[in-house]
Amino acid sequence: MNVKTRFPPSPTGFLHIGSLRTALYNYFFAKKHGGTFLVRIEDTDRERYVEGAVESLIRTLDRMKIDYDEGPIFVNGMLNEKGNNGPYVQSQRLDIYKKFAHQLVYSGNAYYCFCSKDRLEKLRAQQQEIKQTTKYDRQCLSLTKDEIQKLLASGEQNVIRMKIPEGKTTFHDEIRGDVTIDNQEIDDQVLLKADGFPTYHLAVVVDDHLMGVTHIIRGEEWISSVPKHIMLYKWFGFPLPIFAHLPLILNPDKSKLSKRQGDVAVEDYLAKGFLVEVLVNFVSLLGFNPTADREIYTREELIGSFDLKKINKSGAVFDVNKLLWMNGQYIKMLSEEELVARVKPFLKREVSNDILRRICTVEKTRMNLLLDITSIVELYLSQPAYEKEILIWKKSNKEDAIEQLKNIYQFIKSIDENIFNDIQLIEQALTLYIKDNDLQNGNVLWPLRAALSGLERSPSPFELIWVLKKQEVMNRIEHALKILS
Ligand code: GLU
């Protein structure tokens, strides 16, 4: 079978973490089977349409390196597309849906409805009051052909509704197994709205068929729509695709992942300096785990091991702390050059390549986010502010701190510039100095490190000296002495 998957976002905002997972799984599945992956914009709900959302969705997919074979693309800021099954934006396919909706009216599977919004609202309220399922009461189904013709001719506002038959609908889901729903629970779904736009249900079925989609992998929230879709497939004579509905992504309190409990937009995570490969790795594991013996996987490994059969049935908790941990792990694995390139876009001020490289070398293990670089560089580029207490080692006192800093100042002043280009040489020189003068590490290294960083915890004094270089090291010791006296 020639596999074809799809990712059809609605342009209602940013790419959501859950949608990222859906996009990735469709992408993995297609890649794994040597198939095709398409992106389609489902913009038929004009009330929920957000200006700029299409561009942002496409840009985020691009930043996440999720490439697709067919779909909308931006060329020089203009919406364009690739592939032979377009248009890939539903608002550009209205004639197609209209034709299919009318076909169902002719075959008796759908009917015109002229009910006003007002009437439908009242009906709904009545049903709610007596605790009935809210459903259209089929008033317009009793209209005669003549009445319908007259209403249409007079330009009366109308929609086209599905005529849900009696009985039960069963379908197979790759993750859930067989699912049966009593048709009684299904409303006579509007297929074509008064504004000439289709609803999601008509458009999705028509497009998935016309675009040759073989596998529909999407969020669980759509599973209750499948029976309607199955009916449409049957009425149109389309072969059924394979369905797989993914479990929910949950907040730590097990509620559905929502903005109220943290960021849900992929862009927000990118802006904070989460790496693309971390988001791919982490989000992919919210639903399946290739081998269950580790948590770090490359994209290739994820593609190679992706299997619908391995997807969990129960919801997966989105744990931001774990994501942060994973980001730190990945940052540690980056080469210095790579880290320099990645942090550069996050800098808020000019930093020379040499200094940035040194900073990245000594700070790599302490960084969890690329964005951390903005505060980290400040430490090196400007004299940090701190309280004098921090300069005093817990087993010593102020007088000793002053004496040690005075002496180390002279020592640093005396050593050759070249030594400052090598962390190991710096360490050797200082270790020797401590030994030769019969001193304790803590008495010397604590006030020195604190004078250079102004922090309780920081890279070692040797690393700090290497980054700051001779003159700045001396300046900072002088500053510390001023504070102490
Ligand atoms: N446009 C729908 C959405 O935004 C797509 C649902 C589907 O994959 O069928 O989620």
Side-chain angles (χ1 to χ4, degrees):
M1 183 203 264
N2 237 344
V3 165
K4 192 166 195 176
T5 60
R6 62 6 160 227
F7 175 62
S10 298
T12 54
F14 293 113
L15 186 70
H16 185 281
I17 285 286
S19 306
L20 171 63
R21 185 190 61 178
T22 303
L24 282 168
Y25 285 5
N26 279 284
Y27 163 84
F28 292 162
F29 192 77
K31 281 268 180 282
K32 166 145 187 186
H33 297 280
T36 311
F37 174 49
L38 74 85
V39 169
R40 179 173 71 226
I41 300 295
E42 300 202 329
D43 60 346
T44 58
D45 188 345
R46 304 314 282 179
E47 275 161 33
R48 293 183 60 220
Y49 183 84
V50 171
E51 205 60 55
V54 175
E55 193 161 4
S56 131
L57 287 165
I58 292 176
R59 194 182 48 230
T60 309
L61 288 176
D62 185 49
R63 288 181 71 188
M64 295 306 298
K65 302 196 177 71
I66 300 177
D67 51 321
Y68 40 95
D69 309 286
E70 299 178 24
I73 45 169
F74 275 93
V75 182
N76 299 328
M78 296 285 288
L79 192 59
N80 212 309
E81 55 182 40
K82 57 180 176 181
N84 300 321
N85 297 289
Y88 295 94
V89 177
Q90 289 187 327
S91 59
Q92 295 170 18
R93 302 169 62 82
L94 300 185
D95 287 346
I96 302 175
Y97 310 124
K98 223 170 261 175
K99 207 186 86 204
F100 278 101
H102 287 132
Q103 183 186 321
L104 292 184
V105 175
Y106 294 129
S107 63
N109 295 115
Y111 59 95
Y112 286 105
C113 170
F114 299 90
C115 291
S116 65
K117 230 185 171 156
D118 199 40
R119 171 168 194 272
L120 294 174
E121 264 161 30
K122 277 196 190 117
L123 176 66
R124 210 184 146 77
Q126 278 167 9
Q127 290 173 333
Q128 272 167 345
E129 213 178 278
I130 53 168
K131 303 214 163 30
Q132 246 180 24
T133 340
T134 51
K135 258 166 82 169
Y136 179 56
D137 63 357
R138 294 194 156 172
Q139 174 173 277
C140 288
L141 198 53
S142 55
L143 291 171
T144 64
K145 268 201 177 109
D146 283 350
E147 286 169 323
I148 294 170
Q149 279 318 320
K150 247 188 234 142
L151 286 164
L152 288 176
S154 67
E156 195 66 32
Q157 283 240 336
N158 65 82
V159 301
I160 292 179
R161 287 182 184 274
M162 281 175 90
K163 192 171 140 199
I164 303 290
E166 284 179 7
K168 288 182 164 67
T169 303
T170 299
F171 63 95
H172 183 75
D173 183 88
E174 289 297 294
I175 298 164
R176 306 258 132 210
D178 284 342
V179 181
T180 300
I181 293 191
D182 193 329
N183 294 356
Q184 254 180 4
E185 290 168 30
I186 310 171
D187 194 7
D188 277 0
Q189 175 68 50
V190 173
L191 296 175
L192 199 67
K193 296 180 276 186
D195 61 2
F197 277 74
T199 54
Y200 157 73
H201 306 281
L202 175 64
V204 80
V205 168
V206 167
D207 286 349
D208 283 338
H209 172 72
L210 293 182
M211 296 179 183
V213 171
T214 58
H215 291 73
I216 294 180
I217 306 168
R218 65 184 162 200
E220 195 173 77
E221 64 271 30
W222 299 106
I223 201 160
S224 59
S225 299
V226 180
K228 289 184 235 179
H229 300 178
I230 301 269
M231 290 172 200
L232 293 172
Y233 276 98
K234 216 171 81 192
W235 295 340
F236 289 133
F238 299 160
L240 282 185
I242 289 166
F243 293 101
H245 288 85
L246 307 171
L248 292 176
I249 299 184
L250 309 170
N251 290 311
D253 70 359
K254 302 284 161 77
S255 57
K256 190 176 163 187
L257 185 67
S258 69
K259 207 168 169 59
R260 259 169 293 129
Q261 299 199 22
D263 289 328
V264 290
V266 175
E267 297 217 345
D268 291 340
Y269 287 94
L270 289 171
K272 282 192 183 140
F274 283 95
L275 306 180
V276 168
E277 49 274 57
V278 172
L279 290 171
V280 168
N281 186 159
F282 186 81
V283 169
S284 297
L285 299 192
L286 297 172
F288 98 111
N289 194 314
T291 55
D293 61 346
R294 59 191 163 111
E295 279 173 300
I296 308 280
Y297 296 95
T298 64
R299 185 180 291 237
E300 287 64 39
E301 288 173 324
L302 291 166
I303 293 172
S305 55
F306 189 75
D307 184 351
L308 290 175
K309 299 261 174 308
K310 281 192 199 155
I311 293 176
N312 305 329
K313 283 193 181 58
S314 49
V317 172
F318 181 83
D319 179 352
V320 180
N321 292 324
K322 203 160 155 191
L323 175 61
L324 204 59
W325 165 81
M326 191 182 275
N327 211 51
Q329 298 299 308
Y330 266 79
I331 287 180
K332 283 186 198 61
M333 293 192 287
L334 294 176
S335 70
E336 268 81 49
E337 280 93 296
E338 188 58 37
L339 184 56
V340 166
R342 304 267 193 134
V343 296
K344 263 193 180 159
F346 291 87
L347 290 174
K348 294 215 170 73
R349 58 191 279 188
E350 199 80 39
V351 187
S352 78
N353 262 337
D354 173 44
I355 297 293
L356 188 57
R357 219 189 111 90
R358 288 178 187 228
I359 294 176
C360 284
T361 307
V362 305
E363 294 281 358
K364 201 162 102 166
T365 54
R366 305 191 326 138
M367 278 171 75
N368 279 326
L369 290 172
L370 295 176
L371 185 62
D372 291 345
I373 196 71
T374 48
S375 54
I376 288 173
V377 294
E378 288 311 313
L379 167 68
Y380 296 94
L381 298 190
S382 10
Q383 167 66 55
Y386 54 85
E387 300 295 324
K388 70 168 173 242
E389 284 67 33
I390 204 171
L391 294 163
I392 302 162
W393 188 39
K394 60 178 188 300
K395 294 188 188 163
S396 184
N397 55 45
K398 182 174 148 187
E399 286 63 41
D400 182 54
I402 294 176
E403 177 170 340
Q404 299 302 340
L405 284 172
K406 273 187 180 154
N407 294 339
I408 198 88
Y409 179 86
Q410 290 307 328
F411 175 67
I412 297 257
K413 196 173 167 188
S414 73
I415 49 182
D416 192 83
E417 286 279 355
N418 283 329
I419 291 187
F420 290 84
N421 280 323
D422 187 324
I423 300 182
Q424 262 169 4
L425 290 182
I426 297 168
E427 182 167 358
Q428 274 167 20
L430 281 169
T431 314
L432 210 62
Y433 163 85
I434 291 170
K435 219 173 129 204
D436 285 353
N437 294 287
D438 226 357
L439 300 167
Q440 289 283 314
N441 274 345
N443 294 69
V444 180
L445 299 181
W446 178 274
L448 175 59
R449 197 196 53 71
L452 299 180
S453 67
L455 295 171
E456 283 284 348
R457 267 134 55 89
S458 75
S460 72
F462 322 116
E463 292 170 308
L464 293 170
I465 292 173
W466 180 65
V467 180
L468 293 168
K469 298 186 181 170
K470 189 169 181 171
Q471 190 53 53
E472 181 62 14
V473 169
M474 286 166 49
N475 293 347
R476 291 196 182 189
I477 298 175
E478 266 180 341
H479 181 82
L481 283 166
K482 230 180 266 158
I483 291 184
L484 281 172
S485 57

